[in-house]
Amino acid sequence: MKTVEIRNMNKRFGSTIALNNVSFEAYEGEILGLIGENGSGKSTATSIYAGMQKCDSGEMLFMGNPWNPSSMNDALKKGVGMIVQENGTVPGVSVAENIFLSESQRFKKGPFVDRKRMINEAQTALNQIGADHISASQVTAMLDFQDRKLIEIAKVMANNPKVLVVDETTTALSQKGRDIIYAIMEKMKKENGTVIFISHDLDEIMHVCDRLTVLRDGSIITTFNKAEFDEDAIKTSMIGRELSGSYYRDDYGDPAGEEVVLKAENLCHTNQLDHFSFELHKGEILGIGGLSHCGMHTLGKVLFAAEKCESGEFSVHGKKVNTIAEAMKMQMGYVAKDRDTESLNTEASIKDNIAIAGLDKFAVSGFLILPGNEKKYVQKQIDGLSIKCTGADQYVSALSGGNKQKVAFGKWLGRESEILILDCPTRGVDIGVKQAMYQLMYRMRQEGKSILLISEEMAELIGMSDRILVMKDGALKKELFRSKELSEADVIQYMI
Ligand SMILES: Nc1ncnc2c1ncn2[C@@H]1O[C@H](COP(=O)(O)OP(=O)(O)OP(=O)(O)O)[C@@H](O)[C@H]1O
Ligand SMILES: [Mg+2]
């Protein structure tokens, strides 16, 4: 039986045609993959179905009946839940309040809210998805990106949806988080529900999905059944041409320079960093891997002086760095994992986001900004990273998830930073652009720049790094060197 049916759906945003006559369906007991390049319309189509926004024209059915949810909450109550690509929690309130947002009526006790019952029920929802390490009474802002995602999942699953949309969630999660989602998806499938799964990780998608529908520029291109899954055929249908050249760098036996550009000694920070020391060399891509709470994301923040450590110190070219301004002066750049809150100002234009980091690059004699220079500088990044937008003045909030990520990357790229700290830089980016980003990173390395690549993707770490430091509980667990023989299992054994 068909659960989801979308017929001839159209959606425009100003001059952008986000959806062009889109039709597809999903059945009971299946996991349907939805893939396509950044900006192809995946989030738009699914979020309309989940009640987040309206289409301009088209028809939707749920279990064979007309479907027109008035809001996401309305859709969820009626059986369609979505885990959104962006951050879907409110930071300033408790975990329980996020889970039962807009349901406070349910917990009314006279004029008051029965907080105890609400917290209990929220904790049950968390425990049920296997996220019992999160306390329902905690303030959400204290939690990291992964745990905040798990709260959204608990909220959706507490409503027992018939249809679940998972939008590009897994690339932001560590293996533990991913396993939680996979388990939920399998369970839904077994119980005759439907999952619509969006991801840019082809291996993952081919592994978990039963069918695969491909979108390109707002149009449906084709649908593959599991038996027809073929990596090259899927890639070609996504980008409309064959993807040639290697994905990661393919050189071995070309060691980085000897010169130390960044040196960290005995960094300690709450329970995130435990006497962590390392050196980054000129022309080196240094990978940092570990489980999501191993401290590697904190390390990135500390090195850009975006967070203070309690003891220990680090220096760049022998000079101590205490503030972000000093870090930038030392030609450092930082792409944070949580791009929407830490790397970008989404309520500003692409131009302003990219230009801010590059000010000193196009300003004449340090302060005079020539609009022509600024424009050229920004356009270069838009073209280089094929950022899909209506122009440099478009607000970042209007971009698709992957295109936001490209802005965060372009911001530091254009500045020709000497040292780049990249925390999950290719998150949510499609395969074509991912390849381009890897090539850029390699070119920077060849130019003698240094990159600290913090990543939860083993293949990326192994494929790109000269050296990998594996972290566990805030400390250095193992140093591994670039080699053809290095396997994912070789790295993972030191993480757990
Ligand atoms: N609120 C908005 N205002 C203006 N344009 C928008 C808005 N939301 C989406 N768009 C545009 O619609 C198109 C489709 O975007 P959508 O977010 O659906 O892409 P996507 O396939 O989910 O991409 P990604 O893989 O990067 O997440 C893009 O060109 C995007 O810029
Ligand atoms: Mg999207």
Side-chain angles (χ1 to χ4, degrees):
M1 158 136 200
K2 278 181 200 168
T3 44
V4 175
E5 223 181 320
I6 292 179
R7 292 187 195 148
N8 307 319
M9 184 184 275
N10 290 289
K11 177 77 176 172
R12 289 179 81 119
F13 294 101
S15 58
T16 307
I17 300 174
L19 298 177
N20 180 17
N21 237 2
V22 163
S23 304
F24 67 90
E25 67 245 335
Y27 296 83
E28 278 186 325
E30 81 163 351
I31 301 178
L32 173 72
L34 207 54
I35 57 166
E37 291 181 290
N38 295 134
S40 56
K42 304 177 298 293
S43 297
T44 304
T46 47
S47 65
I48 289 172
Y49 195 82
M52 207 161 120
Q53 53 184 335
K54 296 272 172 223
C55 58
D56 302 335
S57 64
E59 203 184 339
M60 297 190 284
L61 300 176
F62 173 55
M63 305 298 290
N65 300 314
W67 176 246
N68 283 304
S70 60
S71 67
M72 281 195 97
N73 211 42
D74 181 39
L76 185 58
K77 292 286 156 247
K78 292 174 177 157
V80 176
M82 175 165 179
I83 296 157
V84 296
Q85 185 172 15
E86 312 303 336
N87 195 356
T89 48
V90 183
V93 303
S94 73
V95 171
E97 279 163 313
N98 264 302
I99 292 180
F100 294 114
L101 211 66
S102 66
E103 275 187 79
S104 48
Q105 281 304 326
R106 223 180 95 190
F107 299 97
K108 271 267 154 76
K109 200 163 94 183
F112 304 106
V113 172
D114 185 353
R115 279 187 51 84
K116 206 167 151 207
R117 189 161 65 88
M118 184 160 112
I119 287 171
N120 278 340
E121 284 190 31
Q123 194 64 54
T124 307
L126 287 163
N127 297 352
Q128 263 167 3
I129 63 156
D132 48 359
H133 62 284
I134 303 173
S135 154
S137 54
Q138 235 169 328
V139 175
T140 310
M142 313 259 300
L143 299 170
D144 66 10
F145 189 86
Q146 160 147 326
D147 286 344
R148 294 203 304 263
K149 271 284 154 214
L150 292 176
I151 296 172
E152 285 174 53
I153 297 168
K155 175 192 166 80
V156 169
M157 294 318 291
N159 287 279
N160 243 326
K162 177 79 177 169
V163 173
L164 172 69
V165 181
V166 180
D167 189 0
E168 191 57 53
T169 305
T170 44
T171 46
L173 302 184
S174 65
Q175 197 57 45
K176 181 184 160 121
R178 286 183 182 213
D179 288 342
I180 288 180
I181 294 208
Y182 297 151
I184 289 172
M185 287 167 50
E186 276 308 313
K187 184 163 174 277
M188 290 222 27
K189 187 175 154 176
K190 233 190 252 142
E191 292 170 358
N192 243 355
T194 300
V195 179
I196 298 180
F197 184 69
I198 300 173
S199 168
H200 286 290
D201 184 338
L202 255 186
D203 288 338
E204 174 186 49
I205 240 181
M206 287 170 57
H207 186 68
V208 301
C209 297
D210 300 305
R211 289 190 311 134
L212 201 49
T213 289
V214 183
L215 268 162
R216 194 198 310 150
D217 289 329
S219 299
I220 298 283
I221 300 300
T222 184
T223 294
F224 295 94
N225 289 316
K226 187 134 196 149
E228 307 161 337
F229 284 6
D230 169 76
E231 195 171 326
D232 288 330
I234 295 171
K235 279 185 187 165
T236 306
S237 71
M238 263 172 77
I239 52 185
R241 61 184 159 80
E242 265 179 61
L243 195 67
S244 59
S246 58
Y247 206 45
Y248 302 115
R249 60 191 272 204
D250 50 14
D251 66 300
Y252 293 89
D254 171 24
E258 293 279 305
E259 190 189 329
V260 174
V261 294
L262 188 154
K263 186 178 166 79
E265 284 169 290
N266 289 314
L267 297 178
C268 292
H269 183 64
T270 53
N271 51 9
Q272 290 289 305
L273 294 172
D274 180 13
H275 297 89
F276 190 73
S277 305
F278 76 96
E279 289 177 346
L280 173 68
H281 299 97
K282 189 173 164 67
E284 180 176 43
I285 300 179
L286 177 60
I288 306 271
L291 300 177
S292 87
H293 295 100
C294 72
M296 60 183 182
H297 305 301
T298 307
L299 177 69
K301 284 183 208 172
V302 164
L303 293 176
F304 194 58
E307 204 161 302
K308 286 251 171 297
C309 51
E310 277 135 29
S311 64
E313 56 185 42
F314 70 95
S315 56
V316 175
H317 295 297
K319 263 199 183 148
K320 290 210 177 72
V321 174
N322 297 306
T323 62
I324 293 180
E326 282 175 18
M328 283 176 67
K329 216 174 188 167
M330 299 302 290
Q331 307 287 19
M332 291 173 82
Y334 171 52
V335 176
K337 179 175 175 187
D338 194 348
R339 61 169 172 250
D340 287 358
T341 57
E342 290 172 5
S343 274
L344 296 170
N345 178 354
T346 53
E347 291 316 314
S349 67
I350 299 172
K351 188 174 85 191
D352 288 342
N353 269 280
I354 291 183
I356 249 179
L359 269 185
D360 49 340
K361 291 290 160 208
F362 54 77
V364 184
S365 66
F367 62 92
L368 178 69
I369 296 175
L370 296 179
N373 287 5
E374 185 186 52
K375 214 171 146 191
K376 248 191 255 153
Y377 174 88
V378 173
Q379 196 57 44
K380 204 174 134 202
Q381 306 313 318
I382 293 179
D383 296 340
L385 291 164
S386 25
I387 297 174
K388 194 178 173 199
C389 59
T390 52
D393 289 321
Q394 190 168 22
Y395 270 36
V396 170
S397 57
L399 299 181
S400 79
N403 283 297
K404 282 184 194 161
Q405 186 68 19
K406 295 180 204 171
V407 175
F409 197 73
K411 181 169 156 179
W412 299 108
L413 202 69
R415 237 187 141 242
E416 291 172 13
S417 309
E418 291 293 322
I419 300 175
L420 265 186
I421 301 162
L422 304 176
D423 195 350
C424 302
T426 60
R427 172 159 92 79
V429 166
D430 68 50
I431 46 172
V433 178
K434 214 166 163 180
Q435 184 186 39
M437 281 187 176
Y438 291 139
Q439 283 165 357
L440 273 170
M441 283 160 68
Y442 185 61
R443 203 166 74 213
M444 292 174 72
R445 176 203 188 265
Q446 297 309 88
E447 289 167 358
K449 292 168 179 163
S450 311
I451 295 174
L452 195 75
L453 175 63
I454 302 168
S455 175
E456 292 182 7
E457 275 182 55
M458 286 308 117
E460 173 174 284
L461 280 178
I462 293 168
M464 291 307 294
S465 308
D466 291 291
R467 212 161 37 109
I468 299 173
L469 303 181
V470 183
M471 286 177 77
K472 193 182 169 196
D473 300 329
L476 179 63
K477 186 72 196 255
K478 181 76 184 171
E479 178 181 37
L480 296 160
F481 290 88
R482 179 168 188 77
S483 129
K484 251 192 193 132
E485 279 74 47
L486 198 63
S487 72
E488 299 199 6
D490 291 337
V491 185
I492 292 171
Q493 63 172 314
Y494 298 106
M495 293 168 36
I496 46 183

